[in-house]
Amino acid sequence: ASYYNEHTVLWLNGEFVKASEAKMDLYSQSLHYGYSVFEGIRSYKNIHGETKIFKAKEHYERLAESSRLMNMPYTWTVDELIAANYEVLKRNNMQDAYIRPVVFAPANMSFAKNTESFIAIQVWEMQPFLGEKLLRIKTSSYQRPNPKGFNIQAKAGGHYVNSILASQEAKAAGYDEALLTDMNGFIAEGPGANIFFEKEGTLFTPALGNILPGITRATVLELCNELDIPVEEGQYSLEQLKEADTAFFCGTAAEVIGWESIDETKFPGNWNDSISKKIQTAYKDRVTESSQKSKVKSKNSLASA
Ligand code: PMP
């Protein structure tokens, strides 16, 4: 599938330009070293027919935080970028889209100080990511990057070499996707999604620290709070995961997608009766604004990451 055609427009450093005419410097550090930060965002047509970027503020704030962690100047305001983003959607006549902002570096190889960054906001039709059916997952031979070697909370381009290797390995072995552990062997996340598992009516998810602080993960925690679903964050082993009733990935592109199995272990829970499935449904409703946000009972917002 192609991400753009001759009509596609993107936003580049404050201007709307045709994708086919947009230029980037081949000497950029971002290309050579993966020194870039980016976001993956979704817009949805809501039940009133309006285009809504889901959690736009959270995504552009994370982009700013990623830039800060990578010492890349971030000279834009969140509001300015959200406005530009809506305009890119409009100019491309898109409602249900995948949105990709990228901050990248110029051709300054000194590393001493990055005085300048560039930004592009691209949108494309949502491509199938992990699909709809329950996934067969393989534990990866690759671990997530060691947080002592990378600022792992940053959504940085170079970190995704790890994701690509893990995903390719799983797919080459006939699985749908990989699960990676952290440097201590605890379950961490997928190449492009966070993970939850369900055991006896409680959901469990790896604590923040060695994973990307997912915005969908935060949304799932919010939904658990609203729906009175018990949820715990901690460090969990593969053995604990393999004893779960159900499990799922969650991410902007993946949304909430259940697992059939991990390695040779099939999850015994009935997906359609599971609390995981409840979360999946509630998430779909939330992104399309088809259900009224239920009254927030608790002031302690454990979910706002
Ligand atoms: N972990 C990784 C490694 C990811 O790439 C993503 C996708 N951005 C996620 C988790 C999920 O994050 P989010 O819910 O913010 O999309």
Side-chain angles (χ1 to χ4, degrees), residues 22-178:
K23 288 201 172 66
M24 181 199 163
D25 194 331
L26 282 176
Y27 291 76
S28 165
Q29 287 175 29
S30 302
L31 181 63
H32 296 212
Y33 309 121
Y35 184 68
S36 64
V37 298
F38 69 99
E39 270 303 318
I41 315 180
R42 287 254 2 225
S43 61
Y44 293 89
K45 178 178 173 177
N46 74 7
I47 45 154
H48 311 296
E50 304 150 340
T51 306
K52 283 293 179 71
I53 301 172
F54 186 63
K55 300 224 166 172
K57 187 164 170 285
E58 287 82 346
H59 281 282
Y60 282 103
E61 281 172 354
R62 188 171 65 185
L63 188 66
E65 177 62 6
S66 295
S67 299
R68 191 186 67 76
L69 287 166
M70 300 299 289
N71 309 310
M72 302 181 83
Y74 187 88
T75 50
W76 311 278
T77 66
V78 166
D79 288 345
E80 168 189 13
L81 294 179
I82 293 175
N85 195 154
Y86 273 108
E87 186 61 25
V88 179
L89 287 167
K90 202 168 141 201
R91 292 189 187 211
N92 288 286
N93 200 15
M94 277 186 203
Q95 293 201 290
D96 286 296
Y98 186 79
I99 300 158
R100 168 54 49 77
V102 196
V103 175
F104 54 100
N108 162 14
M109 299 288 170
S110 80
F111 294 115
K113 190 157 189 259
N114 282 286
T115 51
E116 201 180 6
S117 313
F118 303 132
I119 191 166
I121 301 177
Q122 308 168 345
V123 303
W124 57 76
E125 295 288 347
M126 191 54 208
Q127 319 258 338
F129 181 49
L130 291 172
E132 299 272 317
K133 68 177 197 27
L134 297 182
L135 302 175
R136 296 174 55 251
I137 304 296
K138 178 176 165 50
T139 305
S140 187
S141 72
Y142 297 98
Q143 293 190 329
R144 287 297 288 162
N146 189 323
K148 289 183 176 164
F150 294 88
N151 290 329
I152 201 69
Q153 303 97 313
K155 199 166 165 62
H159 300 176
Y160 283 78
V161 175
N162 170 257
S163 293
I164 289 170
L165 288 171
S167 211
Q168 286 175 336
E169 179 190 62
K171 284 172 186 169
Y175 291 82
D176 297 311
E177 188 55 295

Side-chain angles (χ1 to χ4, degrees), residues 121-287:
I121 301 177
Q122 308 168 345
V123 303
W124 57 76
E125 295 288 347
M126 191 54 208
Q127 319 258 338
F129 181 49
L130 291 172
E132 299 272 317
K133 68 177 197 27
L134 297 182
L135 302 175
R136 296 174 55 251
I137 304 296
K138 178 176 165 50
T139 305
S140 187
S141 72
Y142 297 98
Q143 293 190 329
R144 287 297 288 162
N146 189 323
K148 289 183 176 164
F150 294 88
N151 290 329
I152 201 69
Q153 303 97 313
K155 199 166 165 62
H159 300 176
Y160 283 78
V161 175
N162 170 257
S163 293
I164 289 170
L165 288 171
S167 211
Q168 286 175 336
E169 179 190 62
K171 284 172 186 169
Y175 291 82
D176 297 311
E177 188 55 295
L179 168 73
L180 293 93
T181 51
D182 67 16
M183 75 290 187
N184 298 316
F186 293 111
I187 63 168
E189 59 191 322
N194 292 114
I195 173 203
F196 282 77
F197 64 88
E198 168 182 359
K199 178 73 178 174
E200 291 162 2
T202 298
L203 287 178
F204 298 86
T205 196
L208 298 182
N210 299 334
I211 58 173
L212 187 81
I215 288 163
T216 318
R217 178 186 178 281
T219 306
V220 169
L221 292 175
E222 265 168 42
L223 292 170
C224 287
N225 191 30
E226 292 170 25
L227 300 172
D228 270 328
I229 294 170
V231 60
E232 289 180 22
E233 298 172 72
Q235 289 185 311
Y236 305 108
S237 66
L238 273 169
E239 290 68 34
Q240 279 171 292
L241 171 63
K242 288 181 181 180
E243 284 168 8
D245 300 323
T246 68
F248 61 86
F249 271 141
C250 67
T252 297
E255 300 181 315
V256 172
I257 180 73
W259 292 11
E260 177 182 295
S261 58
I262 170 115
D263 303 327
E264 299 316 310
T265 307
K266 236 181 138 179
F267 292 101
N270 177 346
W271 178 260
N272 288 321
D273 285 343
S274 65
I275 55 175
S276 295
K277 163 82 183 186
K278 272 203 190 90
I279 293 289
Q280 184 181 47
T281 306
Y283 186 77
K284 283 212 166 94
D285 290 346
R286 178 59 48 88
V287 295

